[in-house]
Amino acid sequence: MATGTRPADVVIVGGGIVGLATAHRLLEARPDLDVQVLEAEDRVGAHQSSRNSGVLHAGLYYAPGSDKARWAVAGKAQLERFCADHGVRVARTGKVVVATDRSELPALRALTERARTNGVDVEELDVDGLRRHEPHVHGVAGLRSPGTAVTDFGEVTRVLAGVVGAAGGLVRTSTRVLDLVERPGRVRVATTTGDLEARAVVTCAGLQADRLAAMTGSPPTERIVPFRGSWLRLRPELAHLVRGNIYPVPTGGGLPFLGVHLTRRIDGEVWIGPNAVLAGARSGASPWSVDRRDAAATARFRGTWKLAARHLGIGVGELWRDRYLHATIRAVQRYVPTIGVDDVARGPWGVRAQLVDRDGNLVDDFVVRASDRVLHVLNAPSPAATASLAIGADLRDRVLGRLGRGTG
Ligand SMILES: Cc1cc2nc3c(=O)[nH]c(=O)nc-3n(C[C@H](O)[C@H](O)[C@H](O)COP(=O)(O)OP(=O)(O)OC[C@H]3O[C@@H](n4cnc5c(N)ncnc54)[C@H](O)[C@@H]3O)c2cc1C
């Protein structure tokens, strides 16, 4: 541990998939570096990285030219290669976006064009095409992405930790970072297991990202607003009703994560959801947990109220579906009519870290804030698990640039 005179080269805060992918990319390029990953929990990937849909997104939806668009496409290919090299299962189950009536055709066409602009291979489907790929789906037309895949990102995260360790990196769990102080050529890192120094720091703290960013320089004007997503599980004997991923046509409205969809997971289970409701805690033990500090931070932030006012109808609908199973099932029955309310049970849940600005806009793209020696990943929402190795490569280049300035 670098508590003495010699600083670590790079300290990464957060042992989720983004932090560990960054450590992996650094050690791959520079095996001589002393890289340490500090994780608050007693295991890696305890939060978003193992509580997600497990979809390797092909990159259909993202604004052309955005980091999301570029890094989803590049990162998916990189992650598929990593999984093949390290024995992690990936299944290219494909994805079908379903238009249930003709009013959705213009939005489906716009999505087709966007996907092609992003360089994503997609196929337009008529009714017969829809049935061929997803025999139990009802719709008037569809779009298919054959490259969409599923994996277990929790397993990917654990394997990444093993690879980092094998390359000489140190992954320290049960080590919460309490403070970061920038000094010329150094950063002092205060943790629950002692202090250390680093020549560069990268924070990949997910739901705590804004708090880590506030430790150096002035606090960001944006805040992390936690949104819980819960899934329903389809009865195992009905899993054959869903072959891959079935999504509705996106409705827009500035909320990227809405729309009830069905995912056949890598273990064969079918999950329905997730929905999106404001969470009372960033890292609670149950879906209903309320953490006083987290709830107060959300309530005091003016962006929360602006967001709520702008999307009141959608928010109420999400809460309603969260409470009443039949409301979610009604949404599903629009495109898979054979699924009934008795065919599902409440399933797992996860909390998304979503950056929101003071005007109530959800910040769509990935955001990294940098100072001389510290890089803060401030916004890494979906598809950051898919894109993790590409995000890690970008952060690696920025870190090496800083170390190369020679003040360390
Ligand atoms: C419901 C849901 C569905 C999703 N579905 C998909 C999907 O299908 N495909 C996809 O690509 N993406 C999906 N995502 C998004 C994806 O899971 C995240 O973008 C990704 O996991 C972010 O990784 P991360 O490492 O940034 O964050 P996290 O996994 O949250 O890791 C951050 C880590 O930092 C640690 N930490 C925080 N503060 C400190 C501190 N002070 N000191 C030390 N450690 C600290 C935390 O304990 C945590 O382990 C989904 C997310 C959710 C919640």
Side-chain angles (χ1 to χ4, degrees), residues 21 37-38 67 82 89-90 114 117 158 202 209 242 292 306 341-342 366 373:
V37 181
L38 310 182
D67 287 340
F82 178 88
R89 276 195 308 155
V90 171
R114 177 168 276 204
T117 308
R158 290 187 291 278
V202 187
V242 178
R292 290 220 325 244
K306 293 236 170 189
V341 77
D342 296 333
F366 302 138
R373 294 269 150 186

Side-chain angles (χ1 to χ4, degrees), residues 13-19 38-41 43-57 153 175-178 204-208 212 215 227-231 247 274-275 349-353 377 380-387:
V13 183
I17 197 166
V18 174
L38 310 182
E39 167 53 48
E41 303 292 351
R43 62 200 185 282
V44 298
H47 294 290
Q48 297 176 93
S49 295
S50 55
R51 306 174 76 100
N52 54 55
S53 300
V55 179
L56 278 159
H57 291 291
F153 286 121
T175 300
R176 182 177 298 278
V177 170
L178 302 171
C204 307
L207 287 147
Q208 309 295 334
L212 269 292
M215 290 176 187
F227 285 92
R228 173 170 57 79
S230 296
W231 290 272
Y247 281 64
N275 59 354
W349 55 279
V351 180
R352 304 173 182 85
V377 177
S382 185
T386 304

Side-chain angles (χ1 to χ4, degrees), residues 113-312:
E113 274 162 32
R114 177 168 276 204
R116 290 187 173 138
T117 308
N118 288 342
V120 180
D121 175 28
V122 286
E123 179 192 352
E124 290 170 80
L125 302 175
D126 57 13
V127 175
D128 289 341
L130 263 178
R131 289 266 165 77
R132 203 168 51 248
H133 292 291
E134 290 288 356
H136 300 278
V137 157
H138 280 215
V140 296
L143 179 67
R144 178 164 182 268
S145 152
T148 299
V150 288
T151 190
D152 177 346
F153 286 121
E155 188 187 349
V156 174
T157 307
R158 290 187 291 278
V159 170
L160 274 167
V163 169
V164 166
L170 190 59
V171 180
R172 289 168 55 191
T173 51
S174 303
T175 300
R176 182 177 298 278
V177 170
L178 302 171
D179 201 9
L180 299 170
V181 182
E182 279 194 278
R183 297 184 173 153
R186 297 273 189 286
V187 185
R188 182 118 199 115
V189 184
T191 85
T192 47
T193 57
D195 294 0
L196 68 157
E197 287 206 317
R199 294 170 63 210
V201 170
V202 187
T203 73
C204 307
L207 287 147
Q208 309 295 334
D210 52 347
R211 291 177 177 152
L212 269 292
M215 290 176 187
T216 60
S218 47
T221 55
E222 310 93 331
R223 291 282 184 286
I224 291 290
V225 175
F227 285 92
R228 173 170 57 79
S230 296
W231 290 272
L232 303 178
R233 269 197 179 107
L234 188 63
R235 279 200 285 141
E237 56 275 27
L238 296 182
H240 66 276
L241 296 179
V242 178
R243 287 186 178 168
N245 294 275
I246 306 175
Y247 281 64
V249 176
T251 51
L255 296 181
F257 39 60
L258 295 183
V260 178
H261 52 266
L262 300 101
T263 299
R264 189 180 182 109
R265 294 175 56 86
I266 192 75
D267 60 6
E269 278 198 349
V270 173
W271 287 11
I272 300 171
N275 59 354
V277 294
L278 265 187
R282 297 188 184 193
S283 49
S286 91
W288 321 110
S289 294
V290 177
D291 175 284
R292 290 220 325 244
R293 182 179 174 218
D294 293 346
T298 302
R300 270 202 307 265
F301 178 49
R302 92 174 202 172
T304 308
W305 297 101
K306 293 236 170 189
L307 175 72
R310 192 171 317 145
H311 299 291
L312 189 62

